Amino acid sequence: MGRWRDGGGTLGVEVAEGGPWVEVPLEVAASYRARTRGLLGRDGVEGALLLTPAASVHTFGMRFAVDVAYLDRRLRVLAVVTMRPGRLGLPRPRSLHVLEADAGAMAGWGLRPGCRVRVATGPGEDPRAARPGPAGDADGR
C-alpha cells in the first residue's frame, strides 16, 4: 500500500458530481513532524494544507482563522468548519485526513460536505485523474 509523503502537489475539488473541477495548490504534511508544525508560525497559507493521517486539529498558537475540512479514506468531505485561533476541534468519526485553508477559501472553491477531492503529488499529474488517496486506499486494500 502506498503512503503519503511530505511535499507539494495540487488539490482537485469536484464542484458538482460530474461537473467542473477547481485546482488548488496543496502542501502535504504526512510525517509526524510536519503534521505537528502544520500552519503554526505562518500568516496564511497558499492554497491548502493536507494533514494525513489526522482526525482532528487545534488552532492554539495560530495567527489566523482557518477553514477545516474532514475527509474520509476515499477523500470525500465529511464536514467543513471555520476555526478561530485558540480553539480545539473535536475528532470526527471516520475522518482520516484533514484539509486546512484560510478562512473562507473552501466556500470559494465550492468545497462542502459530500464533495470529493483528488490529490496529485507527481510532476505534471492531473488532480482530476489522480487516485483518491495513496495506492490501495481507494479500494480498501
Coordinates of all heavy atoms in Angstrom, one line a residue, residues 25 27 39 42-49 64-66 100-103 105 109:
P25 N -3.4 24.9 -5.2 CA -2.1 24.5 -4.7 C -2.2 23.8 -3.3 O -3.0 24.2 -2.5 CB -1.3 25.8 -4.6 CG -2.0 26.8 -5.3 CD -3.5 26.3 -5.3
E27 N -0.1 21.6 0.0 CA 1.1 21.1 0.7 C 0.6 19.9 1.5 O -0.4 20.0 2.2 CB 1.5 22.2 1.6 CG 2.8 21.9 2.4 CD 3.2 23.0 3.4 OE1 2.8 24.2 3.1 OE2 3.9 22.7 4.3
L39 N 0.4 24.7 10.4 CA 0.4 26.1 10.0 C 0.9 27.1 11.1 O 0.8 28.3 11.0 CB -1.1 26.6 9.6 CG -1.6 25.9 8.4 CD1 -3.1 26.3 8.1 CD2 -0.8 26.1 7.1
R42 N 2.8 30.8 10.8 CA 2.6 31.3 9.5 C 1.5 32.4 9.6 O 0.7 32.5 10.5 CB 2.1 30.3 8.5 CG 3.0 29.1 8.2 CD 2.5 28.3 7.1 NE 3.2 27.0 7.1 CZ 3.0 26.1 6.1 NH1 2.2 26.4 5.1 NH2 3.6 25.0 6.1
D43 N 1.5 33.3 8.6 CA 0.5 34.3 8.5 C -0.6 34.0 7.5 O -1.6 34.8 7.4 CB 1.1 35.7 8.1 CG 2.1 36.2 9.1 OD1 1.7 36.1 10.3 OD2 3.1 36.7 8.8
G44 N -0.6 32.9 6.9 CA -1.6 32.4 5.9 C -1.1 31.2 5.2 O 0.0 30.7 5.5
V45 N -1.9 30.7 4.3 CA -1.5 29.5 3.5 C -1.8 29.7 2.1 O -2.9 30.3 1.8 CB -2.1 28.2 4.1 CG1 -3.6 28.3 4.1 CG2 -1.6 27.0 3.3
E46 N -0.9 29.4 1.2 CA -1.2 29.5 -0.3 C -1.9 28.2 -0.7 O -1.3 27.1 -0.7 CB 0.1 29.6 -1.0 CG -0.1 29.7 -2.5 CD -0.8 31.0 -3.0 OE1 -0.6 32.1 -2.3 OE2 -1.5 31.0 -4.0
G47 N -3.2 28.2 -0.9 CA -3.9 27.0 -1.3 C -4.4 26.3 0.0 O -5.1 26.9 0.8
A48 N -3.9 25.1 0.2 CA -4.4 24.2 1.3 C -3.3 23.4 1.8 O -2.3 23.2 1.2 CB -5.6 23.4 0.8
L49 N -3.5 22.9 3.1 CA -2.6 22.0 3.7 C -3.3 20.7 4.0 O -4.4 20.8 4.6 CB -2.0 22.6 5.0 CG -1.2 21.7 5.9 CD1 0.2 21.4 5.2 CD2 -0.9 22.3 7.2
F64 N -4.2 33.2 12.5 CA -5.4 33.5 11.6 C -6.4 32.4 11.7 O -6.1 31.2 12.1 CB -4.9 33.7 10.2 CG -4.2 32.5 9.6 CD1 -4.8 31.6 8.7 CD2 -2.8 32.2 9.9 CE1 -4.2 30.5 8.2 CE2 -2.2 31.1 9.3 CZ -2.8 30.3 8.5
A65 N -7.6 32.7 11.3 CA -8.7 31.7 11.3 C -8.5 30.8 10.1 O -8.0 31.2 9.0 CB -10.0 32.4 11.3
V66 N -8.9 29.5 10.2 CA -8.8 28.6 9.1 C -10.1 27.9 8.9 O -10.9 27.7 9.8 CB -7.7 27.5 9.4 CG1 -6.3 28.1 9.4 CG2 -8.0 26.8 10.7
E100 N -6.7 22.0 5.6 CA -6.8 23.4 6.2 C -6.5 24.4 5.2 O -5.6 24.2 4.3 CB -5.7 23.5 7.4 CG -6.0 22.6 8.5 CD -5.0 22.8 9.6 OE1 -3.8 23.3 9.4 OE2 -5.3 22.5 10.8
A101 N -7.2 25.5 5.3 CA -7.0 26.7 4.3 C -7.4 27.9 5.0 O -8.1 27.9 6.1 CB -7.8 26.5 3.1
D102 N -7.1 29.1 4.5 CA -7.5 30.4 5.0 C -9.0 30.4 5.1 O -9.7 29.8 4.3 CB -7.1 31.5 4.1 CG -5.6 31.8 4.2 OD1 -5.0 31.7 5.3 OD2 -5.0 32.3 3.2
A103 N -9.5 31.0 6.2 CA -11.0 31.1 6.4 C -11.7 31.7 5.2 O -11.2 32.7 4.7 CB -11.3 31.9 7.7
A105 N -11.8 30.3 2.2 CA -11.3 29.8 1.0 C -12.1 28.6 0.5 O -12.4 28.5 -0.7 CB -9.9 29.4 1.1
W109 N -14.1 27.7 -3.2 CA -13.8 26.6 -4.1 C -15.0 25.7 -4.3 O -15.0 24.9 -5.2 CB -12.7 25.7 -3.5 CG -11.4 26.4 -3.1 CD1 -10.9 27.5 -3.7 CD2 -10.5 25.9 -2.1 NE1 -9.7 27.8 -3.1 CE2 -9.5 26.8 -2.1 CE3 -10.5 24.9 -1.2 CZ2 -8.4 26.7 -1.3 CZ3 -9.4 24.8 -0.4 CH2 -8.4 25.7 -0.4

